[in-house]
Amino acid sequence: VQLQASGGGLVQAGGSLRLSCAASGTIFDINTLAWYRQTPGEQRELVAAITDRGITNYADSVKGRFTISRADAKNTVYLRLQMNNLKPEDTAVYLCNAARIVDRTVHGYWGQGTLVTVSS
């Protein structure tokens, strides 16, 4: 699975950004797609996830502000994260992740990350 993320940038507090991630390759059995974020010296944090059945999960810090969605095309799965009412503490590198479950083993894949900077 190859993941290509885009959409990061600089925005003022209260503004919005939309991140996109295109998943290609062996995608037919992707179970969960997710966005994580990481800042220097901190652990990678789950921001939002969506399963192949459309079940979503959000970190408490982004509930009500961020929306995760996915759209399945023939050879690509598109993952999006709409981020509204951004806060300076949302500043981080955002990474998309795909998880496949094969023979009861979870295989995880990461995109290259996209930087989101929120100024106060």
Side-chain angles (χ1 to χ4, degrees):
V1 178
Q2 294 80 46
L3 300 168
Q4 183 69 40
S6 61
L10 173 64
V11 65
Q12 288 188 331
S16 298
L17 278 176
R18 187 172 75 171
L19 304 184
S20 297
C21 180
S24 59
T26 306
I27 61 172
F28 72 94
D29 57 355
I30 290 178
N31 174 260
T32 302
L33 290 164
W35 288 99
Y36 286 75
R37 65 187 180 188
Q38 190 165 23
T39 54
E42 298 292 331
Q43 286 190 331
R44 197 166 288 183
E45 173 192 26
L46 176 65
V47 177
I50 185 167
T51 71
D52 55 351
R53 298 184 180 184
I55 299 171
T56 58
N57 182 42
Y58 295 91
D60 288 342
S61 59
V62 307
K63 282 180 181 177
R65 300 188 297 122
F66 291 11
T67 302
I68 190 170
S69 62
R70 61 183 284 171
D72 292 16
K74 182 177 180 181
N75 296 311
T76 306
V77 177
Y78 297 96
L79 177 69
R80 293 186 175 89
L81 185 69
Q82 179 65 43
M83 306 185 293
N84 298 327
N85 191 21
L86 282 160
K87 303 176 180 180
E89 51 263 43
D90 294 320
T91 296
V93 173
Y94 284 71
L95 304 105
C96 55
N97 171 272
R100 299 170 55 228
I101 300 176
V102 180
D103 295 332
R104 301 182 182 180
T105 300
V106 178
H107 299 264
Y109 305 85
W110 294 95
Q112 84 283 13
T114 184
L115 177 63
V116 171
T117 304
V118 184
S119 63
S120 57

